[in-house]
Amino acid sequence: MHRSIVPSSHPRAKSLYIRELLVNGFKNGIVVEEGLIAHGRGETFDYLLGEDTTETARTAIKAACSLLLLAVHPVISVNGNVAALCSKEVVELSNIINADIEVNLFYWSKKREMAIEKELKKMGAKTVLGTRSVDSTRIPELQSERGIVDYDGIYKADTVLVPLEDGDRTEALVKMHKKVISIDLNPLSRTSKAATITVVDNVIRALPAMAIEAKQLKEQNGEILKRIVNEFDNSKNLSESLEIIRCGVDARYG
Ligand code: PTJ
């Protein structure tokens, strides 16, 4: 268990604690240097959004969980930052929605892949896909390391949850007619715009919220879940997040 040196009374304790998780992940070979920079961008948007899960994000979470529960073969994709911030929550959600977990890295190395697999297994994952086995294949038109996926995982999945990543793969997966759910604090990113459903929230809050929501929605019948998905409008939801940022800035500094 990680012990924080940040006193809980510190006004920015939560934010500093998240930074510590990433720095520890970096020291343990899970997070890449660029992941720390990526976090800085996310942190900025989080600050502007009020560092809380908005009602707009909750609407997206509900739609995302409905889509995941309707999926025949859902997969949760895990990169370095996600593993450092919320491996336990990934495993918990995967158990509720019956999803595979797959490691998928932009800055791939065997060492990092193994460190992330170990972390996920420590948190209770029974099987971790994406560990460059004989079953690896390539997403068409995606040249980066991220394009190499597990044939029985992301390649065959009908729905992929991609918490926190860059846009190329989301676009490529959508081109493959998959449903893609992203969690991205930046409502302007290519990932956010390309995804079927985008949850504009910090993964550290969104994943536990999704676990709670999915548990409740599991009791609902398929028709209700389909209605929730059909009523969701990703562009509208992203515009609402931008409006929250704009109003927040006006209210605080206007
Ligand atoms: O572990 P790897 O090798 O796969 O590399 C992972 C990183 C994150 C380095 C790689 O995917 C990358 O470079 O990502 P980008 O292009 O910087 O995009 C990251 C996106 O995630 C940005 O839009 C950030 O705003 C957003 N983001 C960062 N931290 C969080 C976040 N979204 C939600 N929760 C966060 N904690």
Side-chain angles (χ1 to χ4, degrees):
M1 183 68 170
H2 164 66
R3 285 231 198 108
S4 175
I5 62 148
V6 180
S8 56
S9 57
H10 191 287
R12 300 212 40 81
K14 269 192 203 164
S15 174
L16 296 178
Y17 178 63
I18 297 172
R19 283 186 183 179
E20 278 186 348
L21 288 177
L22 280 159
V23 170
N24 283 337
F26 175 66
K27 288 179 184 162
N28 296 334
I30 287 174
V31 174
V32 73
E33 286 96 329
E34 289 83 352
L36 302 176
I37 299 168
H39 178 72
R41 177 157 40 172
E43 203 178 52
T44 308
F45 281 101
D46 207 8
Y47 190 82
L48 294 172
L49 282 157
E51 294 173 316
D52 208 353
T53 303
T54 64
E55 277 313 308
T56 301
R58 288 199 187 281
T59 304
I61 284 172
K62 197 168 178 184
C65 291
S66 301
L67 190 58
L68 286 165
L69 288 166
L70 286 166
V72 176
H73 184 181
V75 175
I76 305 177
S77 179
V78 177
N79 65 13
N81 287 40
V82 172
L85 292 176
C86 33
S87 281
K88 188 167 159 266
E89 290 76 8
V90 165
V91 175
E92 196 185 342
L93 181 65
S94 77
N95 287 333
I96 298 166
I97 59 171
N98 210 5
D100 284 333
I101 299 174
E102 178 163 339
V103 179
N104 181 276
L105 302 175
F106 187 78
Y107 300 100
W108 181 84
S109 77
K110 189 71 201 164
K111 227 171 149 190
R112 282 185 71 221
E113 182 188 277
M114 282 164 64
I116 294 167
E117 181 187 22
K118 194 169 155 207
E119 181 68 12
L120 289 163
K121 288 201 166 160
K122 196 168 97 189
M123 294 303 162
K126 287 182 195 75
T127 310
V128 176
L129 302 175
T131 47
R132 300 275 164 118
S133 64
V134 281
D135 298 327
S136 294
T137 184
R138 195 170 257 293
I139 298 175
E141 295 170 44
L142 196 61
Q143 297 315 314
S144 69
E145 291 288 342
R146 194 159 253 168
I148 299 173
V149 292
D150 207 300
Y151 182 74
D152 288 322
I154 288 173
Y155 193 81
K156 285 217 301 212
D158 59 346
T159 306
V160 188
L161 171 60
V162 289
L164 196 168
E165 74 158 44
D166 51 24
D168 288 23
R169 189 169 60 127
T170 300
E171 286 168 351
L173 292 172
V174 169
K175 266 193 200 162
M176 288 171 82
H177 307 292
K178 296 181 192 300
K179 309 276 186 208
V180 181
I181 296 160
S182 68
I183 304 174
D184 192 334
L185 280 159
N186 178 2
L188 296 164
S189 76
R190 266 182 315 130
T191 303
S192 293
K193 289 183 190 158
T196 318
I197 296 174
T198 302
V199 177
V200 180
D201 196 11
N202 198 316
V203 287
I204 215 155
R205 293 188 301 267
L207 283 169
M210 284 177 78
I212 294 170
E213 188 68 55
K215 259 189 213 157
Q216 287 168 3
L217 286 170
K218 237 179 152 174
E219 308 300 322
Q220 304 290 345
N221 70 44
E223 287 313 308
I224 293 178
L225 300 181
K226 273 185 207 157
R227 202 171 64 220
I228 294 170
V229 172
N230 290 338
E231 281 171 2
F232 183 79
D233 180 338
N234 202 46
S235 306
K236 184 168 162 272
N237 196 270
L238 290 176
S239 301
E240 283 173 18
S241 289
L242 278 174
E243 193 57 18
I244 290 167
I245 291 175
R246 203 182 59 77
C247 291
V249 171
D250 283 354
R252 279 183 274 176
Y253 313 104

